[in-house]
């Protein structure tokens, strides 16, 4: 229970709070000055003790144990489903390693990110194959320092993955099989940035049949070319077709101008990828700097629901996750002197990478890209786009919602709350969130600074 030690909030601090709120929208040009000014103003309540009450203690051990069990279940499900499907297609002796996707960058086909940064260096994954997968799908190629787009990268830089939709990515031999029989072979490469999907099919072995494609959703898989070195294994999913062309006029047939291919997952939603270690005698060494929890205290900003002031024992980087009682509260915007402003999840308007763990055992976790449409204390309505490993017609399951990978300082697997699907909508989720009031203990997630690829 929180004990009140001061009943009234000091009127002289309202000016500081007004500055803090304005600080959320100031132009980037004055950000360094704004951080110092707001941070300096916020030192007043921190050091003079004008905030009412003492920080509430952490949740009961039984609650924390339950949260840890949910997190362990999610980790196990992600690792199983991320490897399942590709293991039987990869060469014998290759061992899968699930790695964390930290950040995305560089726009490619469909306007989507085309490069993914990992939490391991090039040196640490040097024994891995260039082929990067997720589930039964081929995502792209592990870059090598000093070569191509990574020409300026060093072995101690974070490793990067070149997705199939990057304009420098190799084209891939592929095929689609029809339910009624027959196969169309093609080459799949990056689409244009303005296209409706990330990839484009071209160089068909039967252009006439390709021009008569009418329906979206046919699966496209890799084809292994005999005697060709460097080609990915056959049978890996690349994506599903999306037909672009002219609609049929009365009495005539429609005409397909282009066949685009939508990958099974939006790069913004990626939380993990799978690398394949090819040296059976090599052992992966876990030398990555893991996210560290720093103790902090969070206060509510009066009159501004969902906004908080945070004091930490270290400088807070932008985008750092703030956790309270094991639950994700929101992301921080660092100020000076170990202070930060925090926007709670239901009041946020950014795009989030999210993980939905279904209630039903054995179901694949859904990787989502979502944003909050409506938020208030204890509730958020999310508009989301799910990965396409599972048919969209199946709808969204009920379960628990976790963060996906939202930057170096906001790792995947932080629990948000209980999620319920909105009946009749495959793109809406309702999330029940905990409600906390008054000063409270918290933790800020930070990953130690390290070099990254350019």
């Amino acid at each position: 229970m929180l004990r009140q030690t001061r009943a009234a909030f000091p009127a002289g601090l309202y000016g500081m709070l007004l500055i803090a709120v304005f600080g959320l929208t100031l132009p980037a040009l004055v950000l360094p000055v704004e951080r110092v000014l707001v941070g300096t103003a916020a030192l007043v309540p921190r050091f003079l003790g004008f905030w009412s009450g003492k920080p509430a203690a952490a949740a009961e051990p039984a609650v924390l144990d339950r949260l840890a069990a949910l997190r362990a279940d999610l980790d196990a499900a992600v690792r199983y489903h991320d490897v399942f499907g590709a293991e039987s297609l990869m060469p014998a002796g290759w061992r899968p390693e699930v790695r964390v996707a930290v950040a995305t960058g560089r726009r490619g086909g469909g306007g989507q990110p085309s490069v993914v940064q990992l939490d391991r260096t090039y040196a640490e994954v040097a024994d891995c194959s260039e082929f990067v997968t997720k589930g039964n799908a081929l995502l792209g190629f592990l870059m090598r320092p000093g070569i191509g787009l990574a020409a300026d990268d060093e072995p101690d830089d974070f490793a990067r993955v070149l997705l199939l939709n990057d304009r420098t990515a190799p084209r891939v031999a592929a095929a689609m099989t029809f339910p009624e029989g027959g196969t169309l072979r093609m080459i799949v490469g990056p689409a244009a940035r303005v296209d409706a999907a990330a990839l484009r099919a071209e160089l068909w072995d039967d252009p006439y049949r390709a021009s008569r494609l009418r329906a979206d959703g046919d699966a496209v898989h890799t084809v292994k070319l005999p005697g060709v070195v460097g080609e990915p294994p056959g049978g890996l999913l690349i994506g599903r077709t999306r037909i672009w062309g002219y609609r049929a006029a009365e009495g005539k047939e429609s005409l397909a101008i282009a066949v685009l291919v939508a990958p099974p997952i939006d790069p913004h939603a990626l939380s993990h990828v799978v690398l394949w270690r090819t040296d059976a005698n090599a052992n992966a060494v876990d030398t990555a700097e893991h996210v560290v929890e720093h103790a902090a205290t969070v206060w509510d900003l009066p009159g501004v629901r969902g906004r908080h002031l945070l004091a930490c024992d270290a400088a807070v980087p932008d985008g750092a996750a703030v956790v309270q009682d094991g639950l994700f509260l929101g992301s921080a915007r660092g100020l000076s002197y170990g202070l930060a402003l925090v926007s709670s999840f239901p009041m946020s308007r950014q795009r989030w990478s999210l993980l939905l763990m279904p209630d039903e055992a054995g179901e694949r976790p859904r990787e989502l890209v979502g944003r909050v449409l409506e938020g208030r204390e204890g509730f958020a309505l999310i508009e989301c786009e799910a990965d396409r490993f599972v048919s969209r017609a199946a709808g969204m399951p009920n379960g628990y919602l976790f963060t996906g990978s939202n930057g170096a300082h906001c790792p995947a697997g932080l629990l948000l709350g209980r999620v319920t699907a909105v009946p009749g909508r495959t793109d809406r989720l309702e999330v029940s969130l905990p409600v906390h009031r008054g000063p409270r203990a918290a933790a800020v997630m930070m990953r130690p600074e390290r070099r990254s690829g350019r």
Side-chain angles (χ1 to χ4, degrees):
M1 291 293 293
L2 175 67
R3 293 185 176 180
Q4 298 292 335
T5 59
R6 181 123 183 172
F9 185 81
L13 296 179
Y14 277 109
M16 181 276 293
L17 296 175
L18 188 60
I19 295 174
V21 175
F22 286 163
L24 294 171
T25 57
L26 284 177
L29 183 64
V30 296
L31 278 180
V33 177
E34 175 262 338
R35 291 177 191 272
V36 174
L37 289 176
V38 178
T40 301
L43 286 173
V44 177
R46 181 181 179 183
F47 288 110
L48 297 183
F50 282 160
W51 295 97
S52 60
K54 296 181 179 180
E60 295 295 329
V63 175
L64 296 178
D65 289 344
R66 172 59 176 159
L67 295 178
L70 287 173
R71 172 70 181 272
D73 289 344
L74 176 69
D75 288 343
V78 166
R79 291 179 179 278
Y80 173 79
H81 287 283
D82 277 3
V83 173
F84 182 79
E87 203 162 19
S88 61
L89 301 173
M90 308 306 282
W94 286 18
R95 294 185 289 109
E97 293 184 2
V98 179
R99 295 301 181 204
V100 175
V102 174
T104 58
R106 186 177 163 94
R107 288 178 61 200
Q112 296 183 351
S114 61
V115 172
V116 175
Q117 179 182 300
L118 307 182
D119 69 339
R120 294 293 190 273
T121 65
Y122 288 108
E124 291 168 328
V125 298
D127 293 325
C128 293
S129 162
E130 63 177 318
F131 307 124
V132 181
T133 63
K134 188 176 189 69
N136 65 338
L138 175 68
L139 294 181
F141 306 90
L142 182 63
M143 297 166 65
R144 306 297 185 185
I147 301 175
L149 197 62
D152 296 329
D153 290 359
E154 301 291 340
D156 62 342
D157 287 334
F158 283 121
R160 295 189 290 165
V161 175
L162 192 70
L163 301 182
L164 294 176
N165 68 321
D166 192 87
R167 63 179 180 271
T168 66
R171 272 59 174 171
V172 178
M176 53 188 294
T177 302
F178 299 98
E180 65 275 13
T183 300
L184 265 177
R185 292 175 176 261
M186 70 204 81
I187 299 295
V188 174
R193 286 188 180 183
V194 297
D195 283 337
L199 304 172
R200 177 187 288 262
E202 52 194 2
L203 299 178
W204 302 87
D205 65 346
D206 188 345
Y208 176 73
R209 187 170 188 181
S211 69
R212 296 173 62 84
L213 293 174
R214 301 290 179 265
D216 296 341
D218 288 312
V220 178
H221 293 85
T222 58
V223 173
K224 178 64 176 177
L225 300 178
V228 180
V229 179
E231 286 293 307
L236 292 170
L237 178 67
I238 295 176
R240 294 188 176 275
T241 57
R242 185 172 296 177
I243 311 302
W244 185 86
Y246 295 102
R247 291 186 176 183
E250 186 175 354
K252 296 183 179 180
E253 292 187 347
S254 59
L255 178 65
I257 301 300
V259 178
L260 304 176
V261 180
I265 187 168
D266 186 325
H268 291 107
L270 274 174
S271 58
H272 301 81
V273 303
V274 179
L275 304 183
W276 295 86
R277 196 165 292 277
T278 58
D279 186 350
N281 297 318
N283 293 312
V285 179
D286 188 5
T287 61
E289 286 89 348
H290 297 283
V291 176
V292 177
E293 294 188 10
H294 290 260
T297 302
V298 173
W299 297 276
D300 298 329
L301 291 178
V304 189
R305 289 296 184 190
R307 310 295 184 190
H308 314 276
L309 179 65
L310 177 143
C312 184
D313 60 359
V316 180
D318 287 345
V322 180
V323 177
Q324 200 267 324
D325 288 346
L327 297 164
F328 181 68
L329 175 64
S331 58
R333 179 176 174 227
L335 302 175
S336 300
Y337 315 115
L339 302 176
L341 298 175
V342 181
S343 296
S344 67
F345 178 78
M347 300 303 172
S348 68
R349 293 298 178 264
Q350 72 187 70
R351 178 168 52 188
W352 292 96
S353 168
L354 302 167
L355 279 165
L356 194 169
M357 185 175 71
D359 285 335
E360 188 172 341
E363 273 205 45
R364 182 185 188 91
R366 311 291 204 271
E367 290 188 273
L368 317 173
V369 177
R371 65 184 183 91
V372 178
L373 291 180
E374 176 189 342
R376 58 180 183 271
E377 279 191 322
F379 173 84
L381 176 63
I382 302 174
E383 179 184 53
C384 56
E385 175 75 18
D387 62 48
R388 291 171 288 275
F389 284 105
V390 179
S391 171
R392 187 173 298 178
M396 290 286 194
N398 297 335
Y400 290 93
L401 193 66
F402 298 80
T403 58
S405 184
N406 292 282
H409 307 290
C410 188
L414 303 177
L415 181 61
L416 279 158
R418 178 75 187 168
V419 68
T420 305
V422 177
R425 297 298 299 263
T426 61
D427 62 343
R428 296 284 192 276
L429 291 172
E430 294 181 346
V431 189
S432 298
L433 304 163
V435 177
H436 302 285
R437 297 285 178 83
R440 53 194 180 272
V444 183
M445 316 294 284
M446 302 184 204
R447 191 185 302 273
E449 293 297 328
R450 197 174 179 184
R451 289 190 65 191
S452 61
R454 300 162 186 81

